[in-house]
Amino acid sequence: MSTIQPVILTADHDALLGFYTKLFGAKEIFRVPAESPAFYLGLRIGDTDLGLVSKPDPGTGAAPRILLSIDVDDVDETLGRVEAGGSISSGPNDMPWGQRVAHIQDPDGNPLNLTQPIPACFRQGEREPLGQRE
């Protein structure tokens, strides 16, 4: 288990489980109770654990105070699959600190960043390596 584990409260386990499984390859590693319907689902994405807790009315309220940032192999390709239940907020953009970033939301509206490192040979806003442009 991760030392720090984000846990999302949701009224719809199935929608979030499907979203995180299809988009990021999440694997269910733990379920309480073992028989459905589950109160808690433990997921693993890469080397990180993510929890989903069933709450009939998780509320909406003020703007979120937590943002999940998930490293992916290819932001553009992953962004093309977000419509599997989520929505696109903005991006992708090459950031000056060396990441390509897109902003999305899961089916419950929780904000996520899709990130991938960009090689140092790229300059912000350019998708062709330096020296290969005409």
Side-chain angles (χ1 to χ4, degrees):
M1 177 179 268
S2 302
T3 301
I4 296 177
Q5 178 186 17
V7 177
I8 299 173
L9 305 178
T10 181
D12 191 346
H13 265 154
D14 292 337
L16 289 190
L17 178 60
F19 177 80
Y20 287 99
T21 299
K22 289 176 187 167
L23 200 57
F24 304 112
K27 306 282 187 222
E28 185 178 318
I29 59 169
F30 192 70
R31 174 184 284 258
V32 176
E35 304 299 321
S36 292
F39 166 74
Y40 175 86
L41 292 176
L43 307 179
R44 179 149 304 138
I45 300 171
D47 62 356
T48 304
D49 294 338
L50 172 67
L52 303 178
V53 170
S54 179
K55 185 169 182 183
D57 183 15
T60 50
R65 295 178 53 190
I66 288 206
L67 169 70
L68 297 178
S69 185
I70 301 177
D71 290 329
V72 297
D73 290 332
D74 185 333
V75 166
D76 297 87
E77 186 277 329
T78 304
L79 201 57
R81 296 184 289 119
V82 167
E83 298 304 325
S87 61
I88 299 169
S89 303
S90 69
N93 293 299
D94 291 342
M95 307 309 274
W97 54 83
Q99 284 184 319
R100 186 153 177 82
V101 179
H103 305 281
I104 66 171
Q105 292 183 336
D106 72 14
D108 277 0
N110 297 303
L112 295 94
N113 278 356
L114 303 177
T115 64
Q116 94 183 62
I118 52 176
C121 64
F122 287 93
R123 279 194 278 189
Q124 186 175 356
E126 297 179 358
R127 297 300 293 164
E128 292 182 26
L130 296 174
Q132 293 185 6
R133 292 187 307 270
E134 296 178 11

